[in-house]
Amino acid sequence: MRPTKYINVATLMILVTILTFMYSCKDNAKQEKRPNIVFIMSDDHAYQAISAYNDRLIGTPNIDRIADEGMLFTNASVTNSICAPSRATILTGKHTHIHGKIDNVFPFDTTNVTFPQILKENGYQTAMFGKLHFGNNPKGFDEFKILPDQGDYYNPEFITNKGDTTIMGYVTDIITDLTLEWFENRREEEKPFMLFYLHKAPHREWFAAPRHYKDFTKKNFPEPASLFDDYKGRGTAAKEAEMNIRKHMTVSADNKIYPEIAKELGIEEPSEWGYNVFKSKYSRFTDEQKAEWDAVYGPINEDFKKRYPSMTDEDYMRWKYQRYMQDYLGCIAAVDENVGRLLNYLNENGLSENTIVVYTSDQGFYLGEHGWFDKRFIYDESFKTPLLVKWPEKIKAGTKSSVMVQNLDFAQTFLEAAGVEAPEDMQGESLMPLLEGHPEEWTREGVYYHYYEYPGFHMVKRHYGIVNEDFKLAHFYYDIDEWELYDRKKDPMEMNNVYNDPAYVDVVKELKGKLKELRVKYKDSKELDQYYIQKYKDRGIIKSD
């Protein structure tokens, strides 16, 4: 009997060893399981129009869920506040003067490696749906369905891996339908995924869905305190920018007044562009869509036709502001609903726990502050961008961070989260210490900004600058040589340039030194400034000396 006993003990020991090994492997696999990534980006979505930041204009309960379950960044910013350059920076982790996409026209240097390429090479399934805004064949994606250029709100066309197609309906709903259909039918469950879910809305010219414009056109929204800003406290750049709501917003394309009525009233538009855009967008409607549209916007047009002849400049500004907000915020309502659809899908299919969800915009946007619409400036409403991140396995719910982060940082953050080494030429910093609750490991104090598109649309002058939590220093150059300094704590609306105030002499000296260091760190220089100015001359945008 003794040999049998020894055989049983030995067998038992082997079984215990095998089981221990199996559970150990299972635990290690669980620990090493790489996160999914859902990157949600809208176009021109101002942080002021997200109720997690401020609920004075609109409630966005679904977008807010990301902040409630994760982290809200209050000082997130961009490196260059214009659409295509911002998107190229996100993909490459490099400043615009490095990847080459300094404006919406300049070509992207296709030798750049994007972080989706790296993730794909390291086992991630990758997909992109929505608005990319540059390039028809995004690098590093197994599948894509993207809008050509700016895309259309109604019955949009899409560029895909397998050819172009037109899909009937409203673009924000369609982008979500395409995304959820991919989840249902082509997601490979054995792989982690990296999804780009990119909305056209709320980009100009703000065509809301019928379910929203029927409601939002009846609303009245609070005016910003600086709606009638006279720019006395600022320099030449603010005074000469062409993005004033009353003067430069088109009454036809932007405010939805039929061209024939605007012309009948003798309204002087900045150009024929607004009339042509309205006609182009209106012509995309089906007969049913036109009937719905006319039923709501027809009475608005008739009311305007009666009121306009007696309107003062102030009346006209206020009317245009309300029309702007009604359509812009109506577009955001659809974005919020559809973000909710995606979040619900992740929850219902057991994907939320190990998925990083990011909500951001390609930059900020003016909602009447300083009398403006659009973006481009280093001033907060343009320079700052919404950033909300949730990742239940790592981020404590309901946290906030005020440190200076940028869209420059996304690429390295995602790569580190995936356990992949970032290329040395990327210029951002991984947000992982902040996400994991270790802000003491974050060393950056100030961020660098550079805007190039001048002369150009909206005529915002070229400038670069440094921004930290307390101050903002900007240098406007090329056709002027002016410096501006803003005390972000004492003057959050940025109404008074204190660059020449004796009380800020030491601040100016310190920030100029740090700005010089950042220019060196990010490989920007006067020589590059002149290089890109010469490129504008070569394109005939700037007349040669």
Side-chain angles (χ1 to χ4, degrees):
M1 296 295 292
R2 289 182 65 186
T4 304
K5 181 179 179 182
Y6 285 122
I7 290 170
N8 288 341
V9 170
T11 303
L12 182 62
M13 290 179 68
I14 291 170
L15 287 171
V16 169
T17 302
I18 292 171
L19 289 171
T20 301
F21 178 75
M22 289 175 61
Y23 278 108
S24 175
C25 290
K26 185 177 180 181
D27 287 343
N28 288 337
K30 183 178 180 181
Q31 290 173 3
E32 294 173 4
K33 186 178 180 183
R34 293 179 294 173
N36 304 308
I37 300 165
V38 174
F39 184 75
I40 310 172
M41 185 166 67
S42 50
D43 195 316
D44 292 344
H45 191 173
Y47 63 89
Q48 313 93 285
I50 294 177
S51 49
Y53 287 95
N54 192 320
D55 63 0
R56 66 187 290 271
L57 290 174
I58 189 173
T60 52
N62 293 296
I63 297 171
D64 291 358
R65 284 165 60 184
I66 302 172
D68 293 341
E69 298 171 21
M71 180 173 284
L72 178 75
F73 288 85
T74 59
N75 260 321
S77 65
V78 296
T79 65
N80 182 354
S81 185
I82 187 168
C83 297
S86 182
R87 292 159 190 266
T89 290
I90 289 168
L91 287 167
T92 63
K94 299 175 186 177
H95 276 275
T96 52
H97 62 275
I98 299 295
H99 61 61
K101 193 71 179 161
I102 63 163
D103 63 19
N104 285 340
V105 177
F106 257 81
F108 174 65
D109 180 355
T110 55
T111 64
N112 281 290
V113 175
T114 67
F115 81 82
Q117 285 178 276
I118 299 172
L119 289 177
K120 185 174 184 294
E121 291 168 359
N122 283 273
Y124 271 72
Q125 184 184 10
T126 58
M128 175 186 284
F129 302 100
K131 180 178 178 181
L132 175 60
H133 194 196
F134 76 93
N136 293 341
N137 188 15
K139 299 167 69 175
F141 290 92
D142 296 307
E143 178 178 341
F144 61 85
K145 290 183 174 68
I146 58 174
L147 299 164
D149 193 36
Q150 296 286 3
D152 286 289
Y153 276 103
Y154 280 83
N155 313 320
E157 298 170 357
F158 283 86
I159 301 166
T160 82
N161 307 58
K162 300 178 181 179
D164 299 352
T165 184
T166 298
I167 303 176
M168 304 304 289
Y170 187 66
V171 69
T172 307
D173 302 333
I174 292 169
I175 290 168
T176 310
D177 292 342
L178 294 173
T179 301
L180 297 181
E181 190 270 337
W182 173 82
F183 268 112
E184 283 290 297
N185 298 315
R186 287 181 303 287
R187 183 175 74 84
E188 301 173 36
E189 294 187 7
E190 69 278 8
K191 289 184 177 181
F193 62 83
M194 200 285 300
L195 169 70
F196 265 49
Y197 170 57
L198 311 174
H199 284 294
K200 170 184 171 58
H203 192 278
R204 194 181 185 188
E205 293 76 29
W206 317 300
F207 280 74
R211 64 185 183 274
H212 294 125
Y213 66 62
K214 291 174 182 177
D215 179 35
F216 276 75
T217 52
K218 299 174 184 177
K219 294 178 180 287
N220 191 68
F221 296 95
E223 297 172 359
S226 59
L227 182 63
F228 293 96
D229 192 350
D230 59 11
Y231 315 116
K232 284 183 179 179
R234 266 61 46 76
T236 304
K239 295 180 177 70
E240 294 188 1
E242 296 180 358
M243 50 196 211
N244 180 271
I245 290 173
R246 184 181 65 80
K247 295 178 182 177
H248 305 114
M249 180 177 281
T250 67
V251 74
S252 187
D254 295 319
N255 298 138
K256 314 306 187 299
I257 297 300
Y258 300 127
E260 58 271 21
I261 290 179
K263 290 182 178 181
E264 179 185 338
L265 292 170
I267 295 175
E268 293 185 10
E269 289 280 66
S271 70
E272 288 288 313
W273 177 85
Y275 297 134
N276 294 335
V277 167
F278 179 91
K279 292 173 184 176
S280 172
K281 304 306 179 186
Y282 186 79
S283 68
R284 297 192 67 83
F285 291 155
T286 63
D287 289 343
E288 182 181 352
Q289 289 166 343
K290 283 180 181 177
E292 279 192 291
W293 176 272
D294 291 338
V296 173
Y297 285 88
I300 290 172
N301 272 258
E302 290 303 316
D303 178 69
F304 177 73
K305 187 176 179 179
K306 294 175 183 176
R307 294 172 56 191
Y308 178 74
S310 61
M311 280 184 178
T312 64
D313 283 350
E314 185 176 304
D315 294 335
Y316 191 32
M317 176 67 142
R318 289 200 155 104
W319 180 87
K320 293 184 85 171
Y321 169 76
Q322 291 299 329
R323 282 274 49 257
Y324 171 31
M325 287 297 94
Q326 289 164 359
D327 292 338
Y328 177 92
L329 297 171
C331 290
I332 287 173
V335 172
D336 186 69
E337 286 177 351
N338 280 280
V339 167
R341 290 175 64 197
L342 179 57
L343 294 178
N344 289 344
Y345 183 92
L346 296 175
N347 286 342
E348 292 162 6
N349 289 274
L351 294 171
S352 291
E353 195 67 22
N354 191 40
T355 298
I356 303 169
V357 178
V358 173
Y359 186 89
T360 190
S361 176
D362 50 358
Q363 62 265 315
F365 212 70
Y366 290 104
L367 304 184
E369 298 89 0
H370 308 296
W372 288 334
F373 66 106
D374 207 71
K375 56 254 184 179
R376 302 166 196 266
F377 274 113
I378 196 173
Y379 308 139
D380 268 7
E381 290 83 6
S382 164
F383 161 80
K384 287 175 61 174
T385 190
L387 179 58
L388 305 81
V389 186
K390 81 180 187 78
W391 185 8
E393 289 193 351
K394 296 285 185 180
I395 303 173
K396 183 179 178 181
T399 54
K400 289 187 178 181
S401 175
S402 64
V403 301
M404 304 302 301
V405 302
Q406 286 192 298
N407 57 357
L408 184 72
D409 303 324
F410 293 152
Q412 281 153 284
T413 303
F414 294 141
L415 291 175
E416 182 176 347
V420 179
E421 187 174 350
E424 290 184 1
D425 61 350
M426 283 187 173
Q427 296 180 305
E429 297 181 30
S430 171
L431 303 177
M432 286 297 288
L434 302 173
L435 301 180
E436 293 181 324
H438 302 293
E440 70 281 358
E441 297 178 15
W442 186 259
T443 59
R444 179 197 286 154
E445 294 181 0
V447 296
Y448 182 63
Y449 180 88
H450 199 152
Y451 176 79
Y452 297 87
E453 195 185 60
Y454 180 87
F457 212 39
H458 296 300
M459 299 300 284
V460 172
K461 295 185 183 294
R462 294 169 183 253
H463 59 291
Y464 59 84
I466 180 173
V467 185
N468 61 33
E469 290 190 48
D470 297 317
F471 298 101
K472 178 178 297 181
L473 179 71
H475 180 213
F476 292 85
Y477 69 97
Y478 167 58
D479 61 331
I480 60 173
D481 181 10
E482 295 182 6
W483 289 84
E484 296 183 7
L485 174 69
Y486 295 94
D487 188 325
R488 301 185 73 204
K489 296 292 177 65
K490 294 181 179 179
D491 181 24
M493 290 172 60
E494 298 174 319
M495 301 294 285
N496 297 294
N497 173 20
V498 293
Y499 179 78
N500 292 314
D501 187 329
Y504 291 88
V505 170
D506 291 340
V507 173
V508 168
K509 183 178 179 180
E510 180 183 1
L511 287 181
K512 277 193 171 182
K514 289 184 176 180
L515 177 57
K516 185 176 181 180
E517 291 173 2
L518 285 183
R519 296 259 285 173
V520 173
K521 175 181 178 179
Y522 294 124
K523 301 178 182 179
D524 203 1
S525 63
K526 289 183 179 180
E527 291 74 22
L528 267 179
D529 298 344
Q530 291 304 312
Y531 170 80
Y532 284 118
I533 288 170
Q534 183 59 50
K535 287 293 184 181
Y536 266 57
K537 290 180 179 179
D538 295 343
R539 285 161 53 184
I541 298 171
I542 294 177
K543 293 181 180 179
S544 297
D545 298 332

